[in-house]
Amino acid sequence: MPEPLAGARELVDDLVGDRAAEWDRSGEIPDEVLRTLAARGLLCAGVPTDFGGLGATSAANGEFTAYVGSRCSSLRSVMTSQGMAAWAIQRLGGPRQHAMYLPELAGGRLAAVAFSEAEAGSDLSAMTTTIEPDGDAVVVRGRKVWTTAAHYADVIVVVGRYGSGAAAVVVPLSAPGVTVRRVPLPSGCRAAGHADVRLDEVRLPADAVLGGGQPLMLLVTTALAYGRISVAWGCVGILRACLDAARRHARDRRQFGEPLARHQLVGRHLANLLTAEQIATRVCEHASRGWDSGSPDMVIATVLAKQVSAAQAAQGAATAVQVLGSAAAHEGHVVERAFRDAKLMELIEGSTEICQLILADHAVSMAA
Ligand code: FAD
């Protein structure tokens, strides 16, 4: 059987080349790059082959996500959004919706996922967006913020209140009442197409609703699981890029008559970076094994992977800047981008603190 991701890294190399810094500065990934990867199913490679996807395992998709993340965190962010939208449809939708939406996402249409609102960040239970049945239609009203990839997307999976529970709804950007406004000058992942989304009386067919009536936090946890494993692997990529840049620099740059790497305090930075990369890789591999075997521990292993990898990436990128000194003090340098991008990974898909609260609850329930 052919390996589903054969040739994928080479295609990414061709498409990204040395342009990640340019995209970071302009805040824009060329449409052709996103459409080429999307049409090959590579932005959501875990979609099963039955629905026109590549059917990659979580482990293989994770390694590919890390590779993309090592080249361009903005592109990896778009990939995370696409994969999370496909996962939400797969987990929350019925057979008709699988057949309707998944082949489209695996075949080139771009998607984003909107949970957050101005007053509902870490506390998503405060969300006020509503999805209301109206005859054989539904009407969506609300304001979403910071939706990654919304600037590029054809559809947005919007989470909102539905009766006494919650639902997700697939909203085409072309629907009347949808307005997308870009977040100006984000500090990192600048070309990931973050945008605020207004939904003014958006009328959609009722079969656009996924998972109607589920408890809000259950629905959110289901959809976020993919985002968390994807971001965790993306952080592995950030660490690999930083380790690569730092070790090259420490080998080539001489001070006090010796390569930097020979100075033991610099050597300690390299050891810390290697350790960070290895720790992040191992927790991600562990979580992906859970996904691939359908382990009941998969959800908590994913939270652990996200929390550990994001913290390691933020610390590791700062360490890499220290090793490179002024060489990394240029906007767009791979390590300088990593420093900005990695910090944001500690805020999203459940901040470090929110992940720690989930892990603390888990620890308490284990002891019971
Ligand atoms: P707040 O919730 O205000 O938190 C601020 C700080 O307080 C954080 O450190 C947080 O950990 C801490 N805190 C909050 N509550 C507690 C608590 N109970 N205990 C301890 N500490 C606490 N949203 C989407 O829906 N879709 C997206 O695609 C998306 N992409 C994003 C991309 C980027 C780059 C960014 C920056 C944000 C994105 N978001 C997205 C929004 C993101 O999910 C939220 O920013 C995140 O949930 C945190 O919410 P907040 O920024 O409102 O911070």
Side-chain angles (χ1 to χ4, degrees):
M1 204 172 111
E3 151 60 36
L5 293 173
R9 291 180 184 214
E10 292 75 8
L11 179 62
V12 168
D13 287 343
D14 280 353
L15 291 170
V16 177
D18 59 2
R19 295 192 290 162
E22 180 190 320
W23 300 344
D24 184 67
R25 260 190 299 275
S26 68
E28 198 78 32
I29 302 174
D31 197 50
E32 163 224 337
V33 171
L34 296 176
R35 297 286 165 188
T36 303
L37 291 168
R40 292 270 303 266
L42 290 168
L43 297 182
C44 52
V47 171
T49 51
D50 290 354
F51 301 117
L54 295 172
T57 62
S58 176
N61 193 24
E63 276 293 343
F64 178 57
T65 304
Y67 190 72
V68 175
S70 73
R71 303 296 312 265
C72 176
S73 277
S74 290
L75 179 56
R76 195 278 310 147
S77 299
V78 172
M79 190 175 166
T80 295
S81 295
Q82 180 90 354
M84 185 162 46
W87 173 250
I89 291 165
Q90 199 181 319
R91 286 304 302 266
L92 303 173
R96 192 174 135 72
Q97 292 160 320
H98 294 161
M100 192 157 65
Y101 296 121
L102 291 175
E104 287 185 355
L105 295 197
R109 270 164 79 79
L110 295 170
V113 184
F115 306 95
S116 305
E117 299 175 6
E119 301 306 325
S122 299
D123 180 12
L124 287 173
S125 71
M127 79 172 57
T128 59
T129 293
T130 54
I131 304 163
E132 272 184 34
D134 182 12
D136 57 359
V138 288
V139 178
V140 189
R141 301 178 183 91
R143 303 270 185 280
K144 295 295 185 182
V145 297
W146 274 103
T147 309
T148 300
H151 167 65
Y152 303 114
D154 301 300
V155 293
I156 304 186
V157 176
V158 173
V159 176
R161 298 194 171 280
Y162 183 83
S164 59
V169 61
V170 182
V171 179
L173 268 285
S174 56
V178 181
T179 316
V180 172
R181 205 187 62 197
R182 284 201 76 168
V183 173
L185 300 174
S187 62
C189 301
R190 288 175 175 169
H194 308 115
D196 297 342
V197 181
R198 277 180 65 144
L199 302 143
D200 292 316
E201 308 285 326
V202 180
R203 200 173 178 82
L204 300 167
D207 63 4
V209 175
L210 313 165
Q214 290 195 20
L216 175 64
M217 292 320 289
L218 181 65
L219 186 140
V220 163
T221 304
T222 303
L224 272 180
Y226 185 96
R228 288 178 173 151
I229 188 74
S230 181
V231 164
W233 276 109
C235 288
V236 169
I238 288 175
L239 283 162
R240 289 180 184 169
C242 286
L243 177 60
D244 190 46
R247 74 178 169 76
R248 278 176 206 251
H249 187 77
R251 225 173 29 202
D252 298 345
R253 165 96 172 148
R254 297 175 74 86
Q255 286 294 280
F256 300 96
E258 292 202 289
L260 289 177
R262 297 290 295 274
H263 299 294
Q264 289 179 333
L265 292 178
V266 177
R268 185 183 61 181
H269 288 321
L270 295 178
N272 286 343
L273 256 173
L274 176 64
T275 306
E277 186 274 329
Q278 285 291 302
I279 289 171
T281 301
R282 298 287 97 81
V283 288
C284 286
E285 286 173 346
H286 173 69
S288 278
R289 269 198 299 277
W291 281 68
D292 290 332
S293 65
S295 160
D297 290 340
M298 154 196 149
V299 171
I300 203 71
T302 299
V303 172
L304 182 71
K306 193 276 167 182
Q307 194 258 317
V308 169
S309 300
Q312 293 292 338
Q315 179 60 53
T319 300
V321 171
Q322 198 66 22
V323 172
L324 272 91
S326 61
H330 297 283
E331 188 174 319
H333 185 284
V334 64
V335 161
E336 184 271 340
R337 277 190 288 118
F339 182 66
R340 288 186 279 110
D341 297 341
K343 185 60 206 169
L344 296 185
M345 300 304 108
E346 286 205 289
L347 305 180
I348 64 167
E349 313 290 354
S351 64
T352 293
E353 290 80 4
I354 296 303
C355 289
Q356 284 170 333
L357 291 175
I358 297 170
L359 292 169
D361 278 349
H362 181 68
V364 170
S365 71
M366 281 170 75

